Amino acid sequence: MGKFIISKNTNGEFKYEFLNNNEEVILEKSAYKNKAMCLKVIESIKRNAQDDSKFYRKRTTENECYFNLKSSNGQILGTSKIYKDKATREDAIQLVKIISADAPVEDYSKLLLKTMA
């Protein structure tokens, strides 16, 4: 089962990462001013990931594949890592669809603050 991890960047902004069963990052986004906003985005991901039309399949200039997951209002909720081909990207999208709705949220933001102090 996958999970969401909330942590803080070195500049104090919150971020989330969505990990698969092997603890590999599938989807992420940062630069949230507070944890409540980060949690709100995670809940939006859980809802929007069930709709294939919310996944925007993209390519880099080097022709590598990735995707953005967007909300109903077009806001980017998260960006995937880069995949070598379309098939691997599609596998990642399917995984997000299947496991994100029930994925737990683990908060490491307080731990990071303690180690930075």
Side-chain angles (χ1 to χ4, degrees):
M1 178 195 253
K3 62 183 174 183
F4 289 93
I5 302 289
I6 295 175
S7 59
K8 276 191 171 182
N9 293 326
T10 54
N11 64 1
E13 293 179 325
F14 289 85
K15 68 176 187 172
Y16 81 82
E17 296 174 314
F18 180 63
L19 309 178
N20 66 13
N21 298 345
N22 296 325
E23 304 274 323
E24 299 165 329
V25 176
I26 299 174
L27 193 67
E28 64 186 337
K29 188 133 190 246
S30 61
Y32 297 104
K33 300 282 184 209
N34 58 59
K35 185 169 37 176
M37 188 62 193
C38 193
L39 287 166
K40 184 176 178 181
V41 168
I42 290 170
E43 289 307 312
S44 186
I45 289 168
K46 291 180 175 199
R47 286 189 313 273
N48 286 285
Q50 307 312 307
D51 183 351
D52 189 68
S53 71
K54 301 293 190 325
F55 289 90
Y56 290 78
R57 288 135 173 103
K58 310 285 239 167
R59 287 191 178 269
T60 67
T61 55
E62 291 82 30
N63 211 29
E64 297 169 309
C65 300
Y66 71 101
F67 65 89
N68 288 325
L69 177 60
K70 293 187 178 183
S71 65
S72 298
N73 67 3
Q75 174 190 6
I76 295 176
L77 300 171
T79 300
S80 75
K81 69 179 203 170
I82 303 297
Y83 298 99
K84 61 182 177 169
D85 56 45
K86 289 185 343 184
T88 308
R89 176 184 64 196
E90 289 304 314
D91 289 346
I93 289 171
Q94 291 306 313
L95 191 62
V96 172
K97 288 179 182 179
I98 293 168
I99 66 174
S100 65
D102 297 322
V105 177
E106 296 180 11
D107 183 2
Y108 293 108
S109 62
K110 292 178 184 168
L111 295 175
L112 183 58
L113 285 176
K114 289 178 183 174
T115 59
M116 290 173 53

